Amino acid sequence: MAVRAAVAGASGYAGGELLRLLLTHPGVEIGALSGNTNAGQRLGALQPHLLPLADRVLEPTTPEALAGHDVVFLALPHGQSAAVAEQLGDEVLVIDMGADFRLKNAADWEAFYGSPHAGTWPYGLPELPGGRAALEGSRRVAVPGCYPTAVSLALFPAYAAGLAGTEAVVVAASGTSGAGKSPKPHLLGSEVMGSMTPYGVGGGHRHTPEMIQNLSAAAGERVTVSFTPTLAPMPRGILATCSAKARPGVTAESVRAAYEKAFADEPFVHLLPEGQWPATASVYGSNAVQVQVAHDAAAGRIVAISAIDNLTKGTAGGAVQSMNIALGLDETTGLTTIGVAP
Amino acid sequence: MAVRAAVAGASGYAGGELLRLLLTHPGVEIGALSGNTNAGQRLGALQPHLLPLADRVLEPTTPEALAGHDVVFLALPHGQSAAVAEQLGDEVLVIDMGADFRLKNAADWEAFYGSPHAGTWPYGLPELPGGRAALEGSRRVAVPGCYPTAVSLALFPAYAAGLAGTEAVVVAASGTSGAGKSPKPHLLGSEVMGSMTPYGVGGGHRHTPEMIQNLSAAAGERVTVSFTPTLAPMPRGILATCSAKARPGVTAESVRAAYEKAFADEPFVHLLPEGQWPATASVYGSNAVQVQVAHDAAAGRIVAISAIDNLTKGTAGGAVQSMNIALGLDETTGLTTIGVAP
Amino acid sequence: MAVRAAVAGASGYAGGELLRLLLTHPGVEIGALSGNTNAGQRLGALQPHLLPLADRVLEPTTPEALAGHDVVFLALPHGQSAAVAEQLGDEVLVIDMGADFRLKNAADWEAFYGSPHAGTWPYGLPELPGGRAALEGSRRVAVPGCYPTAVSLALFPAYAAGLAGTEAVVVAASGTSGAGKSPKPHLLGSEVMGSMTPYGVGGGHRHTPEMIQNLSAAAGERVTVSFTPTLAPMPRGILATCSAKARPGVTAESVRAAYEKAFADEPFVHLLPEGQWPATASVYGSNAVQVQVAHDAAAGRIVAISAIDNLTKGTAGGAVQSMNIALGLDETTGLTTIGVAP
Amino acid sequence: MAVRAAVAGASGYAGGELLRLLLTHPGVEIGALSGNTNAGQRLGALQPHLLPLADRVLEPTTPEALAGHDVVFLALPHGQSAAVAEQLGDEVLVIDMGADFRLKNAADWEAFYGSPHAGTWPYGLPELPGGRAALEGSRRVAVPGCYPTAVSLALFPAYAAGLAGTEAVVVAASGTSGAGKSPKPHLLGSEVMGSMTPYGVGGGHRHTPEMIQNLSAAAGERVTVSFTPTLAPMPRGILATCSAKARPGVTAESVRAAYEKAFADEPFVHLLPEGQWPATASVYGSNAVQVQVAHDAAAGRIVAISAIDNLTKGTAGGAVQSMNIALGLDETTGLTTIGVAP
């Protein structure tokens, strides 16, 4: 019997991607769709690619609208999820696609978000060590950020195997949908086409402490991350280029073996054959993660690169994957590793 | 029980899109995959977005490779399909995604393709008047060209209802995948990004007689088409802007009524609400057709615009839709009207 | 001795392109730069590509700021130019890059813009018959719209030579900068990349009466235009595909001869050799117009296609060209036919 | 009096960009244009954006064709420049835009290029310490690689000032023109649009030893570089994100001061105001370099980012700048810091 799911924030990019996935999920019935400024509008005007839902009308995001569902997905601006979640019963599975419940360290939250910490929920990245166990049966899930998903999956095997030094350097390119649907001058098509540009340089991006949290857990010691995000002229996708010093004795073979072991049984993470490199186009619209790793002997570094779709595995697909685990469904239900290309 | 399908030409864009669709088609088991220059290669190297098939290896396109299947899809250069089809039994469903069997008029074929006409197969555009009946139970299907799909669906209602004059003018923009995967200088990313450019201007494009065939059939009289294709800086999608003189007495209301009637029961063709216009991004990876129509009273013309994904509804999705009808399956099996956007 | 030029509206795309051109114009000294909402900001933050002007600060658009210049360029929202122009002396050359003074027919203005007609100024398209004479010595210039520039240059030779029927059909693709720098959801990079979509379909686009005005003048009789603009996934450029019925007796040769004659002495309009077609990438950042024409005998139509850079020849380059003529400078000063490609 | 310049390899992207710049260079007269496979073709067919040269025909690259010029630019595949240069007199200024004469260390050349080392010419990056002196009066110039230009300018001030540790990490995104005009499947528009993908990962890219050479010279000790190039969906531009450990005592202020000092008198390198970040769109078609730098105290790293146009400052503009110095012209002649945007 299908569970009934509500989506709060159905007019944005995360909400739209979630609906795209839920429409073909055999175990989910789509319930209430809500928004704020767009309440009252037809979904056909807001998400014209979702034709089966074109005539659905957005409700305001209220406790009444979200009541009576088995699962509630929250795609809200940060800081708003706690108030909504409190009004939902403990037996309802609440999946927060925002940042509010990802960080364990309250000081990190306050330093990067400037508001009181709302708490910590089970973290929705099942591929991390112990990741699945934390989600099974849970009724609260914090979906990881898109960059931390790409970076953590690229680097955790090196840390878990003790191969990498504690100072990671990450440069990641993201498609523009990661910046949301709210119109701003620097996100205009005229500005982004033909342009690569960084932002949040020097440690200021809010996803940095989340990466540190994940990699430090894998390493068993404090890892620092120098993170530079860049905006790329494409609608979707993240390519994360991650590196760290190779510890003494590390070889190309030991690196490869660690990654093969880490992903051997993973349904969504695909370690590419040697010589082939990840491309965001190959995971467009898919929940797959393409990973490749190299040992640069001359520079003494391990270089690990991952490609994800920021809206699928990086947000909505990750949310569905976690929902499946929490509900005891097959983890891959409603998700694929088939991209739309070219 | 699933039918077993072979794909000849699995390394190209049409073949790749077909495999993407067949992977989630509940009634199809993917059999032999063949190629020519790429025979012997892993599909993972050729179609890196199709992770579930990554370890499949392409066979040469031979009768032996294609034998033993219920359905054989041909994605071959034009002129090659007849020889392959002859070696397949009459009971095998052969679906030609090339041009060879689309045209009824041998003189048209010879004028535009410069080779002998191979024949005419049932035409795979079920939305045309009489379209479904021609496909039911057939064991041969000629999949329409991508441009004729977009143009015929945009204009046939106006002709079928007797509203439009016999001289159609069509300007269509296509994504670059329509030009195939064979590397040519003018198709390099450096050349196409940031550029719109026409080709085949003045009546020379090979899809012109196919449009004329379809629209003349709908009109019941000879229709001419002035067709200008343009190459747009996007990987997929066709936007077809089509117009014809409005016959005397035509009104905005009569035009709208004709289109509403034509598409009322169509699962894939979506007449947009008034005021909303088709966008190729909204049908990315979907089998949907978005159509809108206007009556320009000042210029005395009916303007009909359609958006399709050239690889899905325009090629591989159209092929699957026709296969479903030919085999007696539900026409929509394995196909969706859900696009991947943004 | 250089003339001193002010730019009202220096923070937008038209203003920025104008400054790019004026920076290398040997006869112009850049004076006041003004804006409205951006007054007080450094130009380096608003137009980061104009490094030589990075430290200039925008003034508010006031009579005081614009006083004391030989030339004043207005890049203002429509309806605002008249009030500003009135406060400038008759001896000042005022060049309006907006729509306010383009149309001769007040009823057309009111129907398409919904406000009282401000008047008509000499029209800045010197390539039209009589175009240069109207500009020489003038102290007021109405710069043409970007679409009318592309369409008028593509079609006027056919009309001036009496070759074309009076019902023109135009489909044009424009880069997103034509829609301006004001952030709107449908102009986000996430929305426009990968998408072609029409707008203003059915006769509603405000540039339609301007095209009709130009083509009717060339034809010596009333011409109608069915105009469909489309938004293309590129920052700049217009590709205009224009056609009209060929009058009896027209041949490919007579068409070619008419175009060769029309553009023989034009410094910026380049009729391509037969077999080569315009591409917006080839005129990127240049004041050139690439034109090609075909006679489609089967469809009985003349098809003329032009490519321009909407911001250069379509706006700011056209403005500089007209300024040069009005001031008695060499028409090509500060302008090139050299594009930036790939 | 103008010098007469020949261009060997005029049909490619580097050659085309060089011609674009030389066309407006007041001190250069364009002489012979040569090619290999394209000899005999009109330049208008090969470089349709260079309208003033449309009727020029390419000659074969022979000593006779290149004789009688003051300057000869070589835009040839690597390994071919030495043979051509030998046949030109010592008094001719030969500017090699290829790799052949960049490296000082023959073993590096052989390891990365697999052929005998041709020698070392004065290196055309005048902004490096001692860079101008090496070029003044020289009759041989090795133009730097595009990536080394971007990376060396981003990082050398940190090394020259003794602020940075000896292990640099560089991730750079390049537009597709950097991969040349020779058609290959992975460079098709269909493949590159919407995709970010790395290549040459793990130390294999041929530009790596050139970066090491430059940074080691600035540091006065051996610097290693972990270099990951990525292909970005844009025709032009390089964004280089470079970092290294901050040495003890380094502060944001000391880093900023070092960069301000390094670039204070540079005509083309522009250190952006704090808070503004480089964007490739802002240097499109310009010889400018935008640089910004940050001190990430938490990660203990200096992060320096540069944006260049790979074809202008990264190749042809750098070549012209070096030519100017070698000939005793003003270094900025024929070059601008004005980009074409949006």
Side-chain angles (χ1 to χ4, degrees), chain A residues 13 176-177 187-191, chain C residues 13 176-177 181 187 189-191:
Chain A
Y13 289 144
T176 53
S177 60
L187 298 176
L188 284 171
S190 300
E191 301 293 315
Chain C
Y13 289 143
T176 52
S177 60
K181 207 172 182 173
L187 298 176
S190 301
E191 301 293 315

Side-chain angles (χ1 to χ4, degrees), chain C residues 230-245:
Chain C
T230 64
L231 195 65
M234 56 190 190
R236 291 185 175 221
I238 287 178
L239 185 81
T241 302
C242 313
S243 69
K245 287 196 72 162

Side-chain angles (χ1 to χ4, degrees), chain C residues 81-92:
Chain C
S81 294
V84 175
E86 274 171 21
Q87 299 174 316
L88 300 166
D90 289 349
E91 75 290 356
V92 177

Side-chain angles (χ1 to χ4, degrees), chain B residues 13 175-178 180-185 187-194 232-235, chain D residues 13 175-178 180-185 187-194 232-235:
Chain B
Y13 289 143
T176 53
S177 59
K181 207 174 183 173
S182 184
K184 294 168 191 162
L187 297 176
L188 284 171
S190 300
E191 301 293 315
V192 300
M193 288 186 282
M234 55 190 192
Chain D
Y13 289 143
T176 53
S177 60
K181 207 173 181 172
S182 185
K184 294 168 192 160
L187 298 176
L188 285 172
S190 301
E191 300 294 316
V192 300
M193 288 186 283
M234 57 189 190

